[in-house]
């Protein structure tokens, strides 16, 4: 009896791991290719003394991906935020740090996502609701779930839905102990246990021809691999400043910049194991405009650090600055929704998964949701014998 064609998954990030697991659980023969030596994609965690991630490593518990992970025991131990740290969140507004949000921001949060129009930019819509000052503060606060230099220019529906998720009480954000990396490793082991053939350090140059292919890479890499120039969508560009500081009693947990998009968080507040004993791991995330440099973003971060982390320069034991360009998920312009992004089914047995494709969700949720959809479509193609040859 002839065996079924094998489903190939290219990329072992969150989207690719999800796709491989889903397809294998559905009975498919699956091969997972990863160009790097460790899985996780942008979810990889550094293995040195400072366990940093490429951006934040919180999971929002309100999406279906949370239950998908929980059912398979893939989330692992969580690092809860101590109650005292909740009181150490500050908002940078009108040049000073404050404990309470502007009243206009609270008023805006009472609006439902359905009240925010798709075809209007967020700043214009929110200004009509609460005035321009409150609208700008709200747009900038939403940057923690957007990583875009001008959130107010994006679709009102898109921004407002993320603003409400980010500001929800009790918070939806959950922190996996040890960062993203351990969860990605659990997912890889689960894929292996379900019969997935795993090729680590295997850089794929052309699409495999022995069955459906799920391309779970960045859009740039997918465009090069498939030759499909239509695989494009807007994302953000963010300066990241990682710092290790000698511990100081009373350091803030986080600063949200309401005067300009930006966020600083002390990740060891909830997970002390991310840095050696006696040190704190802090990351500043400052979205930067096309004409701005990494240095511009870092300079803004340093000004916020001066306000919220006294003597941080003298306490710094390690420092790293980088730029996340097009690696922070999709952003939707006015008049567009997630349905307008590059579709999952590309035809001819090729499927797309990742955080910039046509699937719902906030940040990493899009990767999980698109990975599941791509896998089910690929399995359906195999079961129906719809596996075209590619030349």
């Amino acid at each position: 009896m002839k065996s079924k064609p094998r489903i190939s998954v290219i990329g072992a990030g969150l989207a690719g791991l999800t796709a491989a697991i889903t397809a294998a659980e559905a009975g498919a023969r699956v091969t997972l290719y990863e160009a790097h030596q460790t899985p996780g994609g942008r979810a990889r965690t550094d293995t040195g003394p400072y366990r940093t991630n490429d951006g934040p490593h919180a999971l929002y518990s309100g999406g279906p991906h949370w239950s998908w992970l929980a059912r398979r025991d893939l989330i692992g131990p969580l690092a809860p935020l101590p109650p005292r740290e909740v009181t150490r969140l500050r908002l940078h507004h009108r040049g000073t740090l404050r404990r309470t949000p502007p009243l206009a921001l609270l008023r805006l949060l009472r609006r439902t996502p359905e009240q925010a129009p798709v075809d209007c930019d967020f700043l214009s819509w929110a200004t009509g609701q609460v005035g321009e000052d409150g609208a700008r503060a709200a747009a900038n606060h939403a940057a923690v779930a957007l990583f875009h230099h001008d959130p107010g220019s994006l679709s009102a529906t898109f921004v407002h839905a993320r603003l409400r998720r980010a500001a929800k009480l009790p918070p939806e954000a959950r922190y996996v102990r040890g960062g993203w990396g351990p969860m990605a490793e659990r997912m890889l082991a689960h894929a292996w246990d379900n019969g997935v053939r795993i090729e680590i350090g295997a850089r794929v140059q052309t699409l495999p021809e022995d069955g459906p292919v799920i391309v779970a890479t960045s859009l740039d890499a997918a465009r090069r691999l498939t030759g499909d120039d239509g695989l494009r969508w807007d994302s953000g560009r963010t300066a990241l400043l990682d710092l290790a500081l000698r511990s100081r009693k009373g350091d803030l947990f986080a600063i949200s910049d309401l005067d300009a998009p930006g966020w600083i968080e002390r990740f060891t507040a909830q997970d002390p194991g991310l840095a050696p004993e006696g040190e704190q791991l802090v990351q500043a995330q400052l979205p930067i405009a096309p004409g701005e440099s990494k240095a511009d973003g870092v300079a803004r971060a340093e000004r916020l650090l001066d306000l919220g982390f006294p003597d941080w320069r003298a306490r710094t034991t390690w420092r790293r600055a980088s730029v996340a360009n097009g690696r922070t998920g999709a952003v939707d312009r006015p008049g567009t929704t997630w349905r307008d992004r590059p579709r999952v089914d590309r035809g001819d047995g090729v499927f797309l998964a990742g955080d910039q494709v046509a699937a719902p969700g906030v940040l990493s949720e899009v990767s999980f949701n698109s990975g599941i959809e791509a896998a089910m479509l690929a399995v359906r193609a195999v079961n129906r014998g719809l596996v075209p040859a590619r030349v």
Side-chain angles (χ1 to χ4, degrees):
M1 180 177 178
K2 187 177 181 180
S3 62
K4 289 183 179 179
R6 184 175 292 274
I7 295 174
S8 299
V9 181
I10 303 173
L14 297 181
L17 289 166
T18 301
I21 290 169
T22 301
E25 289 179 344
R29 299 168 63 241
V30 182
T31 299
L32 175 63
Y33 299 94
E34 170 54 49
H36 296 86
Q37 295 301 319
T38 54
R42 283 173 248 158
R44 283 189 292 269
T45 300
D46 288 346
T47 57
Y50 307 110
R51 297 182 60 80
T52 59
N53 297 269
D54 192 2
H57 57 278
L59 284 174
Y60 285 77
S61 60
H65 70 298
W66 182 264
S67 57
W68 186 91
L69 288 165
R71 284 195 303 271
R72 294 161 177 80
D73 196 26
L74 296 175
I75 298 173
L78 296 175
L81 184 65
R84 68 178 181 276
E85 296 291 357
V86 178
T87 67
R88 293 173 179 164
L89 169 65
R90 297 293 184 269
L91 305 171
H92 180 239
H93 190 220
R94 297 177 179 173
T96 61
L97 295 184
R98 53 188 291 174
R99 294 174 180 267
T100 57
L103 181 59
L105 175 55
L106 296 177
R107 287 171 51 205
L108 192 61
L109 288 172
R110 296 176 62 183
R111 309 298 196 271
T112 65
E114 293 74 22
Q115 291 177 279
V118 170
D119 56 356
C120 179
D121 67 87
F122 178 82
L123 184 62
S124 297
W125 170 75
T127 296
Q129 302 294 312
V130 298
E132 184 175 351
D133 184 67
R136 290 192 181 280
N140 293 330
H141 186 54
V144 68
L146 296 173
F147 297 92
H148 190 269
H149 70 282
D150 187 10
S153 69
L154 305 177
S155 166
T157 299
F158 175 80
V159 176
H160 192 53
R162 283 146 185 78
L163 174 65
R164 282 171 57 91
R165 291 283 298 276
K168 189 175 180 180
L169 293 175
E172 283 191 34
R174 300 288 186 271
Y175 296 87
V176 178
R177 192 172 297 280
W180 287 108
M183 186 180 73
E185 291 169 3
R186 285 189 289 274
M187 294 178 72
L188 189 72
H190 189 76
W192 176 270
D193 290 342
N194 278 273
V196 175
R197 176 183 167 188
I198 299 169
E199 301 284 346
I200 296 295
R203 187 173 297 277
V204 177
Q205 303 291 346
T206 58
L207 295 179
E209 298 181 5
D210 59 345
V213 179
I214 298 173
V215 181
T217 66
S218 68
L219 282 188
D220 285 345
R223 190 167 59 250
R224 291 192 296 269
L225 186 60
T226 64
D228 186 348
D229 194 58
L231 299 182
R232 298 178 184 274
W233 198 260
D234 288 339
S235 183
R237 181 167 168 263
T238 301
L240 302 174
L241 177 62
D242 290 295
L243 297 172
L245 308 178
R246 286 189 291 273
S247 299
R248 175 186 178 277
K249 187 176 181 180
D251 269 343
L252 297 182
F253 160 56
I255 301 174
S256 176
D257 195 350
L258 305 188
D259 291 344
W263 179 268
I264 296 177
E265 184 168 345
R266 180 167 53 92
F267 284 129
T268 42
Q270 63 273 350
D271 191 356
L274 297 177
E277 186 175 356
E279 296 183 61
Q280 302 283 349
L281 190 61
V282 176
Q283 185 179 79
Q285 306 150 17
L286 282 297
I288 50 180
E292 290 184 299
S293 66
K294 176 175 67 176
D296 293 326
V298 169
R300 284 177 48 215
E302 291 178 340
R303 289 193 290 271
L304 284 178
L305 287 162
D306 288 339
L307 290 173
F309 291 81
D311 302 323
W312 68 270
R313 288 181 173 84
R315 293 191 285 134
T316 298
T317 58
W318 174 81
R319 172 177 175 140
R320 182 180 66 188
S322 59
V323 173
N325 187 16
R327 305 201 308 271
T328 54
V331 296
D332 296 340
R333 298 286 180 181
T336 65
T337 72
W338 62 265
R339 294 178 176 85
D340 300 301
R341 301 173 196 162
R343 66 187 186 277
V344 172
D345 189 347
R346 307 306 301 175
D348 294 330
V350 178
F351 305 92
L352 198 64
D355 60 9
Q356 288 183 263
V357 305
V362 174
L363 296 174
S364 64
E365 294 174 10
V366 179
S367 292
F368 290 100
N369 293 334
S370 62
I372 293 170
E373 181 180 356
M376 298 312 296
L377 290 172
V379 169
R380 190 179 308 163
V382 168
N383 290 340
R384 294 180 177 179
L386 304 176
V387 187
R390 284 180 296 277
V391 295

